[in-house]
Amino acid sequence: MKTASLAYIAGYLVRTVQERVSCMGCLDCISLSTSNSPLMSLIVHQDLGNLRYPKPGFVSVLEVIQEFVEKAVPCLPNKNVLEILSSQIIPILARCPLLQCPICDQNRQKELACIIAEKFIRPLLDNIAANITEKLAATKHISYKPLSRKILRL
C-alpha cells in the first residue's frame, strides 16, 4: 500500500510536469498513457480516461528519494533543511538516466529535476515534521500543580 500511495503522488508529479514543461519527450520519460499494474491501483480508481500514469521506474526513484530524506533529516541542522536537501537531490535527479530526454538540453533536465524535487520534498518534510511533533506532544510532564485544570483535560 505504501508503494501504491507513492505511485499516486508520482501521478501528481507527472501532472505537474505536464502543466509546467512543454516538451513531450520529458513527459514521456516519466509517464505512460495507461497501466493496469497493481502499483497503480489508486490511480485507476480516479481515472476517467485522461490521466497519465507514472512509469514504475519513476516511482522507484521517488521511493529512493523518500528513504534518503527520512534518513538524512535527523542528521541535518534545524534551519534550511529544504535547501540543503534540494541542493543534494537536484543534481542527482538531473543526471538520472530515467529523466534524460533525447530532445532537451542540460538546462531543461535541471528544470525538470527542480520541479520534481520542489513538489515532492516539501510535502515529505511536512509529514516528517508532523510525525516528530506528534511524538513529542504525546508526553506532557507536569512538575507542579497547574493553576487551571484545563491542562489536565488535554
Side-chain angles (χ1 to χ4, degrees):
M1 189 65 182
K2 183 178 178 182
T3 309
S5 61
L6 199 57
Y8 189 76
I9 294 168
Y12 164 72
L13 292 173
V14 167
R15 191 183 111 231
T16 304
V17 168
Q18 184 177 6
E19 291 172 354
R20 290 192 178 182
V21 177
S22 60
C23 177
M24 289 303 291
C26 291
L27 188 60
D28 289 339
C29 288
I30 61 171
S31 68
L32 303 167
S33 57
T34 60
S35 178
N36 292 327
S37 169
L39 180 67
M40 310 298 169
S41 61
L42 292 176
I43 301 173
V44 169
H45 295 298
Q46 301 275 328
D47 192 5
L48 298 176
N50 200 18
L51 289 180
R52 293 185 62 99
Y53 294 83
K55 285 188 176 179
F58 182 55
V59 175
S60 54
V61 167
L62 293 179
E63 193 171 5
V64 169
I65 292 173
Q66 179 186 9
E67 290 175 13
F68 170 74
V69 169
E70 288 175 352
K71 290 180 181 178
V73 165
C75 303
L76 295 175
N78 291 337
K79 294 184 180 181
N80 301 327
V81 175
L82 180 64
E83 289 81 13
I84 294 170
L85 288 172
S86 295
S87 69
Q88 297 296 318
I89 292 173
I90 289 173
I92 294 170
L93 271 178
R95 290 190 312 257
C96 179
L98 181 72
L99 301 177
Q100 298 298 319
C101 175
I103 302 168
C104 296
D105 61 347
Q106 205 65 10
N107 291 334
R108 277 284 173 111
Q109 299 296 328
K110 191 169 183 177
E111 179 185 343
L112 179 65
C114 287
I115 293 170
I116 292 169
E118 171 195 342
K119 292 293 183 178
F120 184 64
I121 296 173
R122 187 179 303 266
L124 187 58
L125 286 177
D126 287 342
N127 287 341
I128 291 171
N131 287 340
I132 291 172
T133 305
E134 287 175 5
K135 289 177 186 175
L136 294 176
T139 60
K140 187 173 275 291
H141 302 288
I142 301 175
S143 60
Y144 59 91
K145 184 177 176 182
L147 298 175
S148 173
R149 294 190 58 130
K150 288 182 183 179
I151 195 166
L152 297 175
R153 292 185 194 149
L154 295 176

